[in-house]
């Protein structure tokens, strides 16, 4: 096959017949262009893939940093909350000590009036200085230790003045009523599950008196989860008693009570199914069976 090309010039058309190599030139140019396009397209695809990978890596790193920041802030918030609880306990301890000292006219000998300083914990999780937080905790621990020493001395003095002969625990915590649930394992009245009952329940008429089973210092007179209106009395020597579910309380924290004093009015507050007093005896902060104290002879 041959191709004849006519080229128009001044002297008329000139006939020119190209060779085979000239006929292949367009094909070669098209092939070269196609190859160049494919090469450039691959480069663009690879570059886009690199950009996407870098973006994914940056986003993953950003998420890790956010997660680490959130975890750190959560841990610091928990630490701050712990300091706040320590502050609350210290405030309660100081108030109790001051009240006992005043009640026994010993305020000149015992100082519980120092202010609580735990700077920077009003806004949890924000602008927390860890070094300052640690310093605040050290200060609180030091003050708690100091107040514990003072309270121990104050307890000894108060006991010798008022309740040394009356802190022998014995008898029932009610004026009238009956034992409705003993200490030990029982079926929970709310869910029916087998659970440990860490006290003795004495049922009676709502509004009847709840009495202290021994003399001591009131260390709690307020609501407590599950117990409703609760009174707790410290009798010294690591022993204390609790009286729960009361309708109303007749004592305040820091009061020195004698054996047989009315400390509350029977009710059914908290986790209760009817009027009764939930009575506990604690040794070293742990509930023990109150039965031997209830039925032993008065000291």
């Amino acid at each position: 096959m041959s191709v004849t090309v006519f080229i128009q010039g001044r002297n008329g058309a000139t006939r020119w017949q190209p060779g085979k190599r000239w006929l292949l030139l367009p094909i070669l140019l098209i092939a070269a262009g196609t190859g160049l396009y494919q090469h450039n397209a691959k480069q663009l695809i690879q570059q886009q893939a690199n950009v996407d990978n870098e973006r994914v890596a940056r986003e993953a790193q950003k998420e890790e940093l956010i997660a680490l920041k959130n975890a750190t802030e959560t841990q610091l918030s928990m630490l701050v909350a712990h300091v706040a609880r320590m502050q609350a306990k210290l405030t309660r301890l100081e108030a109790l000590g001051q009240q006992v000292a005043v009640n026994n006219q010993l305020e000149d000998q015992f100082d519980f009036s120092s202010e609580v300083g735990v700077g920077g914990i009003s806004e949890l999780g924000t602008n927390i200085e860890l070094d300052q937080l640690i310093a605040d905790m050290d200060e609180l621990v030091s003050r708690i230790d100091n107040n514990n020493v003072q309270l121990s001395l104050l307890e000894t003095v108060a006991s010798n003045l008022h309740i040394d002969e009356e802190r022998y625990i014995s008898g029932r915590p009610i004026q009238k009523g009956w034992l409705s649930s003993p200490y030990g394992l029982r079926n929970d009245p709310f869910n029916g599950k087998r659970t440990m009952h860490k006290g003795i329940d004495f049922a009676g008429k709502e509004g009847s008196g709840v009495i202290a089973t021994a003399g001591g210092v009131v260390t709690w007179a307020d609501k407590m989860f599950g117990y409703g209106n609760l009174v707790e009395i410290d009798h010294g020597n690591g022993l204390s008693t609790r009286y729960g579910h009361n309708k109303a309380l007749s004592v305040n924290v820091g009061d020195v009570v004698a054996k047989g004093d009315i400390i509350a009015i029977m009710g059914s507050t908290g986790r209760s199914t009817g009027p009764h007093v939930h009575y506990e005896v604690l040794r070293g902060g742990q509930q023990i069976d109150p039965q031997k104290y209830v039925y032993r002879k008065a000291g």
Side-chain angles (χ1 to χ4, degrees):
M1 176 180 178
S2 62
V3 177
T4 303
V5 178
F6 292 92
I7 301 175
Q8 185 69 35
R10 292 182 179 180
N11 299 323
T14 303
R15 180 180 180 183
W16 176 66
Q17 185 174 5
K20 293 182 178 180
R21 286 183 296 177
W22 287 98
L23 294 175
L24 294 173
L25 181 60
I27 298 174
L28 294 174
L29 291 174
I30 292 172
T34 301
L36 181 61
Y37 171 78
Q38 292 177 344
H39 176 72
N40 290 337
K42 289 181 179 181
Q43 284 188 329
L44 289 174
I45 293 173
Q46 184 61 44
Q47 290 175 358
Q48 184 62 43
N50 293 339
V51 171
D52 291 341
N53 291 337
E54 291 178 359
R55 178 176 56 79
V56 171
R58 286 196 300 270
E59 290 179 354
Q61 186 178 24
K62 182 179 179 181
E63 291 178 357
E64 290 179 359
L65 290 175
I66 292 174
L68 179 61
K69 180 175 178 292
N70 291 338
T72 301
E73 289 183 351
T74 299
Q75 291 175 351
L76 284 175
S77 296
M78 292 174 63
L79 189 59
V80 169
H82 180 63
V83 173
R85 288 193 294 270
M86 290 177 63
Q87 176 192 7
K89 290 182 179 180
L90 179 58
T91 302
R92 174 188 169 195
L93 184 65
E94 290 176 339
L96 170 62
Q98 192 66 29
Q99 186 62 46
V100 173
V102 170
N103 290 347
N104 291 279
Q105 300 179 349
L106 298 170
E107 61 269 30
D108 294 336
Q109 303 178 40
F110 297 90
D111 180 19
F112 294 91
S113 60
S114 57
E115 296 183 359
V116 177
V118 290
I121 68 169
S122 59
E123 298 181 6
L124 299 184
T126 59
N127 301 324
I128 301 172
E129 294 292 340
L130 184 57
D131 291 342
Q132 183 60 44
L133 194 58
I134 294 174
D136 291 337
M137 292 178 67
D138 290 340
E139 178 185 354
L140 283 173
V141 170
S142 177
R143 291 178 59 189
I144 288 173
D145 290 341
N146 178 62
N147 284 325
N148 278 332
V149 172
Q150 290 200 70
L151 271 180
S152 178
L153 294 174
L154 182 57
E155 178 191 14
T156 300
V157 174
S159 296
N160 290 334
L161 287 175
H162 296 285
I163 61 176
D164 188 45
E165 295 180 358
E166 295 191 357
R167 60 184 182 182
Y168 180 84
I169 302 173
S170 63
R172 304 192 309 169
I174 55 174
Q175 293 178 318
K176 294 181 180 180
W178 62 94
L179 191 153
S180 58
S181 183
Y183 177 91
L185 289 173
R186 68 171 185 177
N187 293 329
D188 188 279
F190 288 91
N191 56 35
K193 295 182 179 179
R194 197 72 171 162
T195 55
M196 184 66 182
H197 186 224
K198 296 183 178 181
I200 292 179
D201 292 343
F202 289 93
K205 184 178 179 181
E206 182 173 352
S208 58
V210 176
I211 61 176
T213 56
V217 178
V218 177
T219 55
W220 184 272
D222 205 342
K223 294 182 182 299
M224 182 177 288
F225 179 76
Y227 290 88
N229 294 322
L230 174 74
V231 174
E232 181 173 314
I233 302 174
D234 187 343
H235 306 288
N237 296 325
L239 290 173
S240 59
T241 53
R242 286 179 177 173
Y243 312 76
H245 306 305
N246 304 291
K247 181 178 181 180
L249 305 181
S250 306
V251 293
N252 298 304
V253 170
D255 287 351
V256 176
V257 297
K259 182 180 178 65
D261 284 352
I262 295 179
I263 57 174
I265 303 301
M266 186 181 294
S268 184
T269 58
R271 197 170 184 270
S272 171
T273 59
H276 74 286
V277 56
H278 173 79
Y279 176 62
E280 293 181 359
V281 176
L282 298 90
R283 178 186 292 129
Q286 299 296 321
Q287 292 95 338
I288 59 176
D289 189 349
Q291 182 169 332
K292 66 177 182 181
Y293 295 95
V294 171
Y295 296 108
R296 72 179 179 175
K297 295 180 179 180

